[in-house]
Amino acid sequence: MNPWRATHAHLRAAVAGFGLLVAGLVLGRTDVVLLAAPLALIALAGQAARPQETPAARATEGALTVHESEEFGWRTVVTELPPGGVVAAFHPGQRWLDVEPEDGRLVAAPDGTATTDVALRATRWGRRRLGGPVVAAYDAWGAWRWTADPFAGLQVTVLPATEPFDSSAPAPHPHGLVGMERAGRPGEGTEFAKVRAFEPGDRLRRIHWPTSARTGRLHVTATYADQDARVVVLVDAVNDVGDSEGIDGAHSSMDLTVRAAAVLADHFLRRGDRVGMRVFGAWGVSFVPSASGRMQLRRLLDTLSLVEPGTARGEDALAARQALGAGTLALMLSPLIEPASTRQVAMLTSAGIDVVVIDTLPQELAEGVGPGTTDQEALAWRIRMLQRRLERDQMASLGIPVVTWTGPHSLDQVLRDLTRRSAVPRLGRR
Amino acid sequence: MSTTSGVTFRDRQGHRIGTLSVANVLAWLAIVVPIVVVAEVTRSSAPTSPWWPALVLVLLAIASAELPDSMFPLTTVLASAGWWIAVVEQVRLGPTLVVALGLLVFHVAAGHAALGPQGRDDDGAVLRGVVTRTAAVGALTVVLGAVADVTTGRVDVPPAGLGLALLAAGALPWLAGRWKRSGAGH
């Protein structure tokens, strides 16, 4: 069975062309025959050009992982087209997806093969299946149409963008065996500590010859050990406040949270630290154990891209403490809308864990009328904002640093303060 | 990523309503203007005819531009030709050719617009092919009209003869296609 179907244009040319021709003949009017002439000619040419071939179409399919704002392509190749044939390809747009060209593309097939490329750009993190693209082919006269079988849309995992963050501030509690942090104890490393007398087991290449020659005894250069820190990123996904317009537009609280978490994880992993993650309020993802390396970054970004805010409410505040030991640097990313997040911060601090609270509520919401539309909702939002300010002040008075996320460098000063403070002994409840 | 040239209109949620670009406007004009010309020529060829059929034709043309892959373009062509048949009595070659070519351009423009979503990105080779084929058919129509005009009054050419000549001319590509396919089959 021929897979080509007549188009409205062919039907129009045939009906109008031959209809007018018959009318002209019946009425004996040459002018009507002349009106019919171009349409009848096109109808005959279109009928003569009816394709017999069955085209074959291939398109980009499967799963793809990209970063926010990264361009990727959708390509279709249609072969076995009739001479002069054309191919129309259309990829539907959707929220947080830019498509170029938005209305599809019409390309010629000079040698029976047509290739169409559509550029796509995901503007928000997350995992989603893109809408099904459509491909159709036409003969040279646009009289016959062949439609390809529906293509499955691409399964795209969009990882949050990790903008460069080059903080020089050290993490407060380095421990472990490798990393870029300078430990408090001497060991193998690169940071100079002192020149001391040689001891059995010291490496010969460590001998400090000027001092050894001057004193007559062997001396070596001692260094501080290079060690890593353990950082846990706590993601509050109980609420997503505000509208998200993708990476180029307005940000919701969850946008800021996820992107900030990605930037921080990238930063600490680049330094050789071990980074883990715990997500509250999202069904399906909860905890990623601490580890180091590029694979861990990918694991964390994958986890962040799966976050569906507000899908798991009412978690026990104690859950925040699980698998977190003293000496861990906990970075709590939260819009501080839910009182439960404040309780979690208090619990972690009392357990001797250094917590930095990073406020990810968009500035315009914190100072504006909020997401509500009615007067009552606006009033409720204002009351909640006042309570929130009070909670922030209480945390600050307890020595818990609260930083409003304005970009990666918001943390620099806080990390320096924590490092300085970690040198001072203090009591912690276990 | 480059964006489509033109002005894109979006609703409050950011969903696209439409794009106003030079290509879109030209495509729209290529459908509507020929019918405006046809209506004007018909009115001037039959000055006593009422004005409202012209308005109906223009409205149909606008509907055709919005929905080119529908029955609106066929309705527009039939309405235009029907109005011509009904009101024009003093037939002259010039106006007839203008109307015939106007209907041809309208048909081709509507057919081309129906190949995909409005505002799509068209390959230059596709547009060149469309223009070439339209010009060929238009030239053939002009030649046919000229032959009919020259022979009128000198040789008695009945409309049936003209129709048969037209069918014969149109059958040539069909026969060529049949011959090519049978050749390929052997």
Side-chain angles (χ1 to χ4, degrees):
Chain A
M1 193 174 136
N2 194 325
W4 294 84
R5 297 280 171 268
T7 60
H8 272 108
H10 188 49
L11 182 71
R12 180 166 67 242
V15 170
F18 291 107
L20 289 174
L21 192 62
V22 170
L25 296 177
V26 170
L27 298 171
R29 285 180 62 168
T30 311
D31 60 321
V32 179
V33 174
L34 205 56
L35 293 187
L39 298 173
L41 285 170
I42 286 179
L44 285 168
Q47 189 61 37
R50 183 175 187 181
Q52 300 299 319
E53 305 89 346
T54 302
R58 296 191 311 275
T60 312
E61 285 183 293
L64 202 63
T65 301
V66 293
H67 279 88
E68 279 179 311
S69 195
E70 184 183 336
E71 264 189 47
F72 55 104
W74 178 74
R75 169 170 284 197
T76 329
V77 180
V78 184
T79 54
E80 304 293 323
L81 288 165
V86 295
V87 168
F90 171 71
H91 195 292
Q94 63 191 62
R95 200 172 183 205
W96 303 315
L97 180 74
D98 288 346
V99 182
E100 176 66 25
E102 283 183 297
D103 293 308
R105 201 180 277 283
L106 189 69
V107 296
D111 54 353
T113 301
T115 304
T116 56
D117 286 304
V118 175
L120 306 171
R121 178 173 168 263
T123 58
R124 197 194 189 212
W125 52 273
R127 180 175 289 178
R128 57 189 79 101
R129 180 170 284 283
L130 305 186
V134 182
V135 174
Y138 298 87
D139 72 309
W141 291 91
W144 302 95
R145 173 174 25 218
W146 169 84
T147 309
D149 291 334
F151 293 103
L154 288 169
Q155 172 83 44
V156 181
T157 302
V158 186
L159 305 178
T162 52
E163 56 181 302
F165 169 34
D166 187 22
S167 171
S168 53
H173 287 290
H175 58 198
L177 295 174
V178 291
M180 287 177 64
E181 312 291 351
R182 182 178 71 77
R185 61 179 176 78
E188 282 298 315
T190 52
E191 186 85 8
F192 174 80
K194 62 181 177 181
V195 175
R196 60 167 173 79
F198 180 85
E199 290 172 3
D202 281 338
R203 295 188 175 192
L204 292 180
R205 66 184 175 88
R206 294 261 185 212
I207 292 173
H208 192 261
W209 292 109
T211 311
S212 301
R214 195 169 59 247
T215 59
R217 289 179 58 197
L218 280 176
H219 278 72
V220 290
T221 308
T223 54
Y224 288 110
D226 284 343
Q227 298 181 335
D228 64 358
R230 184 171 171 189
V231 180
V232 172
V233 180
L234 302 170
V235 174
D236 177 0
V238 177
N239 291 297
D240 187 10
V241 192
D243 277 337
S244 173
E245 295 174 0
I247 197 160
D248 305 318
H251 306 300
S252 69
S253 65
M254 209 58 228
D255 283 349
L256 289 179
T257 302
V258 166
R259 288 178 193 137
V263 168
L264 293 172
D266 183 43
H267 167 68
F268 285 107
L269 285 169
R270 271 182 203 278
R271 293 164 59 100
D273 296 326
R274 285 174 295 144
V275 181
M277 184 180 292
R278 182 177 282 285
V279 181
F280 304 97
W283 181 85
V285 286
S286 61
F287 185 62
V288 181
S290 295
S292 57
R294 301 301 296 170
M295 277 305 293
Q296 177 71 355
L297 176 63
R298 178 60 195 273
R299 217 172 281 133
L300 295 172
L301 294 181
D302 268 337
T303 304
L304 285 170
S305 70
L306 293 177
V307 170
E308 290 180 40
T311 49
R313 286 174 183 272
E315 280 185 274
D316 187 359
L318 278 172
R321 240 198 92 174
Q322 284 172 7
L324 302 188
T328 301
L329 170 63
L331 302 170
M332 175 83 159
L333 295 148
S334 169
L336 300 174
I337 296 294
E338 281 283 315
S341 50
T342 318
R343 287 201 296 275
Q344 282 171 350
V345 172
M347 199 162 292
L348 291 169
T349 309
S350 65
I353 296 167
D354 279 319
V355 186
V356 179
V357 179
I358 301 163
D359 184 355
T360 55
L361 187 68
Q363 200 64 27
E364 62 273 14
L365 285 174
E367 293 168 358
V369 292
T373 50
T374 63
D375 289 344
Q376 287 84 354
E377 285 171 334
L379 181 64
W381 181 259
R382 278 184 59 199
I383 292 170
R384 179 61 200 134
M385 286 301 101
L386 289 171
Q387 290 172 336
R388 183 177 169 279
R389 196 179 301 166
L390 192 66
E391 287 164 9
R392 274 189 64 148
D393 291 345
Q394 282 172 345
M395 281 193 281
S397 65
L398 289 171
I400 302 166
V402 183
V403 187
T404 302
W405 179 258
T406 54
H409 291 284
S410 343
L411 284 188
D412 257 18
Q413 189 56 44
V414 176
L415 291 179
R416 281 182 208 286
D417 291 347
L418 280 175
T419 310
R420 231 172 276 137
R421 200 174 65 180
S422 66
V424 182
R426 61 184 172 142
L427 288 174
R429 187 150 55 86
R430 300 279 183 243
Chain B
M1 174 188 254
S2 64
T3 53
T4 307
S5 59
V7 182
T8 301
F9 298 97
R10 296 180 188 277
D11 64 12
R12 287 185 177 185
Q13 276 74 45
H15 302 129
R16 201 169 63 94
I17 298 168
T19 303
L20 185 65
S21 66
V22 175
N24 280 6
V25 172
L26 288 178
W28 192 87
L29 288 176
I31 296 174
V32 175
V33 168
I35 294 301
V36 173
V37 171
V38 166
E40 181 54 32
V41 170
T42 308
R43 282 259 301 152
S44 59
S45 299
T48 55
S49 64
W51 58 269
W52 57 265
L55 181 65
V56 172
L57 283 186
V58 172
L59 290 176
L60 281 172
I62 291 170
S64 303
E66 295 303 316
L67 298 166
D69 201 18
S70 68
M71 296 305 278
F72 278 117
L74 174 62
T75 312
T76 310
V77 171
L78 291 180
S80 304
W83 188 33
W84 173 272
I85 292 168
V87 300
V88 176
E89 291 167 354
Q90 297 291 324
V91 177
R92 286 177 293 132
L93 177 64
T96 310
L97 273 180
V98 170
V99 171
L101 294 177
L103 291 180
L104 168 67
V105 173
F106 169 79
H107 167 75
V108 171
H112 184 72
L115 296 183
Q118 294 176 41
R120 63 177 185 265
D121 192 5
D122 283 5
D123 201 352
V126 177
L127 291 174
R128 279 195 296 278
V130 169
V131 170
T132 306
R133 280 186 289 275
T134 309
V137 174
L140 208 54
T141 306
V142 171
V143 168
L144 207 62
V147 168
D149 191 53
V150 167
T151 54
T152 303
R154 296 177 190 175
V155 184
D156 187 20
V157 180
L162 196 61
L164 283 174
L166 176 62
L167 284 176
L172 283 176
W174 180 72
L175 284 172
R178 293 273 299 176
W179 178 76
K180 192 177 173 186
R181 273 198 290 277
S182 65
H186 291 300

